[in-house]
Amino acid sequence: MKFSTDALLSFKRAFRFLGASCAVRPLPLLLLLLLPLLLLPLLSARPAVPSRADLVIINGAEPESLDPAIITGQADGRVVRALFEGLTRINPTNAAPEPGLAHRWEISPDGTTYTFHLRTNAAWSTGQPITAEDVVYSWIRVLDPNTAADYAGQLFFLKNGEEFNSGRIKDPAQVGVRALDAHTVRAELTGPTPFFLDLCAFPTLAVAPKFAIEKHGDRWVVMPPMPVSGAYELVEWRLQDRIRVRRNPRYWDAANVHSSVVDFLSMDSPMTAINLYLTGRADIIWDKSLVPGQLMDALRRRPDCHTFDYLGTLFYRYNVTRKPFDDVRVRRALALAVDKRRIVEKITRGGERVAAHFTPRGMPVYDPPAGLDYDPDQARKLLAQAGFPGGKGFPVFQYLFNTGKTDEQISVEIQAMWQRELGIRMELRQAEWKVYLVALRALDYDVGRSSWVGDYNDPNTFLDMFMSNNGNNRTGWKSTRYDELVREGNRQTDPRLREKFLREAETLLVRDELPIVPLYFYAGIHFYDSARIEGIHPNLIDEHPVYAIRKKRGSEPVSSNR
């Protein structure tokens, strides 16, 4: 049985009460068996919603959370973007930032001060007004080290943002964000940041409800009703099943929210995903990993298969705090022994391109540097120089990856390559998404599968994540030189000079020190029937606001017989 969020909490409270009673007198077995039936009224107490959603989206892995400050996954972000909004939001046609909770802003001539003016009709779904103080609270909360936000680095562009996050400054009032009045927010930056408006549209900088967080603490996202600032409000979250949202009538742009009720299906089985889609029980498949690789050749010929370029890279990380991966010769040897072309031609087969650098091409005024090619002979020489000739004495290690058929196949392929070319033995360690993320954050791994999709159309979205204090680094690698290069690049107003610094930083990352090894660039693939679905527009960051998507009137579901 699947429970809605508030019913599940009530169940837990009831179970704890009954369990405590057992300490005095054993609870009859019959009562335990009947307990779910006794709780059925709780399940029916919610407001009535349609049995079928207007739009059903196969979204990917079960979200880690719905808290904008702590999510990191793309699947999590799709839901959170529907529930919470920032000062700007993503334009559904070109993914450029446009007015969100702020209806206008001014930028100082030197590009370091932004003054945002909030909409006077902006309100929480529970009725309270959204104010400038809510924005300040939300951003400071992300930077607060106690929040442990992996994306806190997105606010390091604020004056004293990094210093507050690291604990070097204790007073949040010294951070460069303040409320000038109830509807005006001023942000002071460390330097010109041309992508700052893009950052303001990202979920990490979304406005979160101070009153709910202070009342419920970390449990605020599961205490109904959850106050939201976005186009949709949460109806229910059924673990390992779906998240249902419905149009938020208090959203400032509610008149242009096209689908009233939307289901986000949580799933990691490609065969289940494609079956649901082909039988008309789902309208959209967002994630290419949820398409069976062995069927890709045939599926790509379908008219409802939409391909596009976007900013996404699959790579693996080394935990450089563990031996022998603290030796750059070992890291380089393993990188040179991976035949990336075989991976994209044999396994993924979706038009992916082999990656020698980390940042994809296509971003303005940036040509990424070349990294390493496939060279198993050089790999064996380096491994011998590191003290492991023919792989002798190399310890057995583990490769961490999340659940998913394609990731499993890639892991097996890399395992075979390293055994064949280097004579080393690797064990596979597969983990459910949340467990996998916890292990990466805790550096509880040797080598780990990873991916990154750009948050905005600028190389910084790929490069700043490996700065020493960035929560998304997760390698244990720290380079003062790398940090200096990225910071210096982002201070430049001359695009070509900025490119020079960033290229030097990326060279350290993918050729000189190698805490990561890029494998391939993603090829974007969505499945939806454009004769039935409208409002989806391909873009480089693969973001598609749900409020703009709807079914066309009188449309028929997709059929496997088509």
Side-chain angles (χ1 to χ4, degrees):
M1 180 181 293
K2 300 290 186 181
F3 294 88
S4 60
T5 304
D6 50 349
L8 182 60
L9 290 171
S10 299
F11 178 88
K12 290 179 178 177
R13 294 190 192 102
F15 194 83
R16 284 198 296 268
F17 173 77
L18 292 171
S21 301
C22 291
V24 178
R25 184 177 60 190
L27 192 66
L29 178 61
L30 179 60
L31 182 57
L32 281 175
L33 294 174
L34 292 175
L35 187 56
L37 296 177
L38 297 175
L39 289 169
L40 282 176
L42 291 171
L43 302 179
S44 60
R46 295 185 59 82
V49 295
S51 58
R52 178 173 170 81
D54 300 311
L55 196 65
V56 180
I57 298 171
I58 297 177
N59 190 47
E62 178 73 37
E64 179 184 12
S65 174
L66 298 181
D67 186 337
I70 64 173
I71 64 164
T72 60
Q74 192 177 20
D76 308 41
R78 293 189 192 107
V79 181
V80 170
R81 281 187 187 275
L83 298 172
F84 295 94
E85 189 163 282
L87 296 175
T88 61
R89 68 180 188 179
I90 291 293
N91 179 283
T93 301
N94 58 16
E98 66 178 18
L101 293 179
H103 67 98
R104 64 183 178 90
W105 51 81
E106 295 97 32
I107 306 172
S108 64
D110 64 357
T112 63
T113 303
Y114 287 66
T115 304
F116 295 93
H117 302 275
L118 272 64
R119 300 177 187 275
T120 55
N121 64 337
W124 295 103
S125 57
T126 47
Q128 300 90 329
I130 296 174
T131 69
E133 286 293 347
D134 290 323
V135 179
V136 174
Y137 168 80
S138 301
W139 289 10
I140 295 296
R141 177 174 175 255
V142 169
L143 287 169
D144 188 335
N146 293 319
T147 303
D150 286 344
Y151 269 103
Q154 291 197 332
L155 283 166
F156 287 0
F157 301 99
L158 288 180
K159 179 182 176 182
N160 291 326
E162 185 173 4
E163 289 78 4
F164 179 69
N165 179 256
S166 66
R168 297 196 297 274
I169 288 178
K170 303 294 185 182
D171 182 8
Q174 295 186 45
V175 177
V177 58
R178 56 185 48 83
L180 302 185
D181 57 43
H183 295 100
T184 311
V185 177
R186 176 160 295 168
E188 299 176 46
L189 310 184
T190 57
T193 308
F195 47 84
F196 188 66
L197 293 176
D198 297 83
L199 290 177
C200 290
F202 194 72
T204 306
L205 275 66
V207 184
K210 176 181 180 180
F211 59 93
I213 297 169
E214 291 187 339
K215 181 177 180 180
H216 300 297
D218 292 341
R219 295 170 56 80
W220 73 275
V221 295
V222 295
M223 299 299 292
M226 180 176 73
V228 297
S229 54
Y232 290 90
E233 57 185 343
L234 181 67
V235 175
E236 57 188 354
W237 181 0
R238 299 183 178 185
L239 298 178
Q240 301 302 328
D241 181 15
R242 72 189 61 212
I243 292 175
R244 172 164 288 191
V245 300
R246 64 183 164 199
R247 182 190 289 119
N248 172 11
R250 290 191 169 94
Y251 179 54
W252 65 268
D253 196 25
N256 291 311
V257 177
H258 295 315
S259 295
S260 295
V261 178
V262 179
D263 280 350
F264 295 88
L265 303 189
S266 300
M267 166 176 323
D268 56 17
S269 167
M271 289 306 300
T272 302
I274 200 67
N275 282 332
L276 286 174
Y277 174 76
L278 293 177
T279 56
R281 288 177 288 171
D283 302 302
I284 300 170
I285 299 179
W286 278 146
D287 199 332
K288 190 257 179 183
S289 67
L290 286 172
V291 180
Q294 64 271 31
L295 302 180
M296 261 324 301
D297 291 341
L299 291 171
R300 288 184 71 188
R301 294 193 289 268
R302 292 175 57 94
D304 54 341
C305 176
H306 303 269
T307 61
F308 58 96
D309 291 329
Y310 78 105
L311 304 178
T313 308
L314 187 99
F315 64 103
Y316 68 79
R317 308 174 197 248
Y318 296 108
N319 179 355
V320 304
T321 68
R322 289 186 177 178
K323 292 183 178 299
F325 306 109
D326 58 340
D327 188 332
V328 69
R329 294 171 298 182
V330 169
R331 300 198 296 270
R332 185 173 288 113
L334 268 64
L336 290 168
V338 175
D339 185 352
K340 303 171 187 179
R341 188 163 304 283
R342 179 175 173 83
I343 291 173
V344 300
E345 292 178 353
K346 177 183 177 182
I347 299 174
T348 59
R349 295 186 293 183
E352 293 81 3
R353 292 171 289 117
V354 167
H357 42 85
F358 185 50
T359 56
R361 296 189 185 279
M363 287 178 281
V365 198
Y366 188 71
D367 181 27
L372 301 179
D373 294 323
Y374 177 52
D375 190 343
D377 291 335
Q378 180 64 19
R380 286 186 282 271
K381 292 176 183 177
L382 283 168
L383 199 65
Q385 291 173 14
F388 306 103
K392 293 179 181 178
F394 200 95
V396 177
F397 64 100
Q398 291 186 331
Y399 185 94
L400 173 69
F401 64 102
N402 55 294
T403 54
K405 190 64 177 176
T406 300
D407 291 320
E408 180 180 358
Q409 291 172 331
I410 292 172
S411 304
V412 170
E413 192 67 41
I414 292 175
Q415 180 188 47
M417 291 175 185
W418 285 341
Q419 171 68 44
R420 181 177 65 251
E421 302 293 355
L422 301 178
I424 61 178
R425 182 182 166 199
M426 178 181 80
E427 296 177 344
L428 302 182
R429 176 186 171 193
Q430 189 174 35
E432 182 268 338
W433 179 247
K434 294 181 183 180
V435 176
Y436 158 83
L437 289 177
V438 169
L440 283 179
R441 289 188 186 117
L443 294 183
D444 178 23
Y445 74 97
D446 299 316
V447 181
R449 172 266 181 209
S450 295
S451 65
W452 191 256
V453 175
D455 300 327
Y456 45 91
N457 190 10
D458 187 275
N460 186 74
T461 188
F462 284 85
L463 299 179
D464 77 342
M465 66 183 288
F466 291 105
M467 295 176 72
S468 300
N469 293 329
N470 194 297
N472 286 307
N473 185 315
R474 304 176 189 172
T475 63
W477 179 69
K478 295 184 177 183
S479 168
T480 302
R481 178 60 179 158
Y482 184 86
D483 296 350
E484 290 173 348
L485 288 167
V486 174
R487 287 195 181 99
E488 190 59 37
N490 285 327
R491 292 190 191 105
Q492 305 304 316
T493 55
D494 181 340
R496 291 300 177 187
L497 191 55
R498 180 174 187 253
E499 180 190 40
K500 173 181 177 295
F501 285 106
L502 296 185
R503 276 176 55 89
E504 189 175 342
E506 187 167 2
T507 299
L508 278 175
L509 185 70
V510 301
R511 194 165 67 198
D512 295 345
E513 298 200 20
L514 277 89
I516 66 165
V517 176
L519 295 177
Y520 61 79
F521 299 117
Y522 284 121
I525 293 180
H526 296 155
F527 278 85
Y528 62 90
D529 186 351
S530 55
R532 298 178 55 244
I533 304 292
E534 61 185 356
I536 302 175
H537 305 276
N539 58 74
L540 280 176
I541 61 172
D542 191 25
E543 289 293 347
H544 312 278
V546 174
Y547 71 82
I549 304 173
R550 63 181 167 190
K551 290 181 184 175
K552 297 178 181 179
R553 292 181 180 273
S555 61
E556 295 299 326
V558 70
S559 169
S560 59
N561 297 322
R562 200 172 66 180

